[in-house]
Amino acid sequence: MSLHMNAAENQIAPTVLLPGDPRRAQHIAQTFFTDPVQHNDVRGMLGFTGSYKGKPVSVQGTGMGMASAGIYIYELINDYGCQTLVRVGTCGSYREDVQVRDLILAQAACTDSNINNIRFGAKNFAPIADFGLLLRAYQVAQARGLRAHVGNIMSSDTFYHDDFDQYKIWAEFGVLGVEMEAAQLYTLAAKFGVRALTVLTVSDHLITHEETTAEERQTSFNGMIEVALDAALE
Ligand code: ADE
């Protein structure tokens, strides 16, 4: 047990996928895991443990935003001993060449969040992915013929911004897209010496406003999960 999860000690695998949406955790477990068992239901933040290609693996919903995700990530590392944490989620694209349904492998994550200011004050920490995981994910995506971009992303504390054009400053500096959790995942992984990666599918486009059908989103989401699992459990 931890403060926010009722999984038993040793019930969560060392490798865990982290979708924001708990229903996605259920979908991942039911679609990709062998013999999944639900390990958490506190606050409806579902988590499951099973195996993939014979290797133990877990999936745990984190909720939206760094305040929520940070709680689960902290407890997975410190109370359950998780060593490899891979966020799987969606993002908005900041750039014309990064299209809806493409994959983004987040090499690093900028943030507008104040959470790291609480830690570092006026100093800025650069939250980065584990290089081995990143390299492996890129190789798996290439082998599967998926369009995958590797680079910087932005982890925002807000989904709805008052100023729509605020994204342009990030785009100018080559940032590929926006989501809401990776910077905190990478910071906590660095603090506690574990491996982390964020794999995203582009669900919406801030420039072209291109949209996808639910079916297209599901297909690209499933492709991303296979990349994450094959990279994390090589
Ligand atoms: N996740 C998916 N799309 C997003 C967006 N436009 N902003 C923040 N997080 C997102």
Side-chain angles (χ1 to χ4, degrees):
M1 295 262 292
S2 67
L3 219 48
H4 300 89
M5 286 187 274
N6 58 0
E9 204 185 342
N10 299 325
Q11 209 187 350
I12 302 182
T15 298
V16 56
L17 298 195
L18 301 170
D21 180 350
R23 287 255 177 85
R24 284 240 161 101
Q26 188 168 36
H27 166 80
I28 291 166
Q30 287 172 349
T31 310
F32 297 99
F33 290 8
T34 304
D35 299 330
V37 173
Q38 187 176 301
H39 66 234
N40 185 58
D41 63 359
V42 177
R43 291 175 185 245
M45 202 58 80
L46 302 178
F48 300 82
T49 297
S51 65
Y52 175 77
K53 297 185 180 172
K55 295 178 181 155
V57 64
S58 294
V59 60
Q60 174 61 53
T62 64
M64 288 181 280
M66 285 174 272
S68 176
I71 290 172
Y72 295 99
I73 293 161
Y74 186 100
E75 293 181 14
L76 286 166
I77 297 169
N78 289 291
D79 296 319
Y80 293 100
C82 296
Q83 293 289 311
T84 300
L85 296 95
V86 181
R87 166 163 154 68
V88 286
T90 57
C91 68
S93 170
Y94 278 171
R95 292 164 53 106
E96 300 262 4
D97 58 323
V98 179
Q99 292 158 14
V100 168
R101 291 182 294 278
D102 286 359
L103 275 188
I104 294 180
L105 308 176
Q107 187 175 11
C110 309
T111 187
D112 59 15
S113 168
N114 204 37
I115 297 179
N116 275 4
N117 296 339
I118 298 168
R119 281 198 181 89
F120 295 105
K123 305 172 199 77
N124 287 313
F125 175 73
I128 58 168
D130 176 84
F131 180 70
L133 281 176
L134 178 65
L135 177 63
R136 177 83 184 133
Y138 184 71
Q139 289 167 337
V140 173
Q142 291 284 99
R144 289 172 177 267
L146 300 172
R147 265 176 65 93
H149 308 267
V150 179
N152 215 346
I153 61 159
M154 221 286 271
S155 299
S156 182
D157 263 353
T158 41
F159 187 92
Y160 297 108
H161 294 266
D162 289 342
D163 172 14
F164 174 79
D165 284 344
Q166 57 75 34
Y167 80 87
K168 288 184 177 163
I169 181 72
W170 300 104
E172 249 177 56
F173 282 76
V175 175
L176 302 173
V178 56
E179 53 83 83
M180 300 180 72
E181 292 84 15
Q184 207 40 225
L185 170 62
Y186 290 175
T187 302
L188 289 172
K191 179 173 169 67
F192 296 115
V194 301
R195 308 193 307 161
L197 177 67
T198 294
V199 185
L200 304 163
T201 54
V202 177
S203 60
D204 53 280
H205 206 294
L206 278 84
I207 305 168
T208 66
H209 303 291
E210 186 190 354
E211 287 179 0
T212 48
T213 64
E215 196 183 335
E216 284 172 331
R217 280 198 296 277
Q218 198 60 55
T219 305
S220 37
F221 186 82
N222 285 349
M224 168 180 67
I225 299 305
E226 286 172 346
V227 169
L229 287 167
D230 283 330
L233 294 164
E234 73 164 319

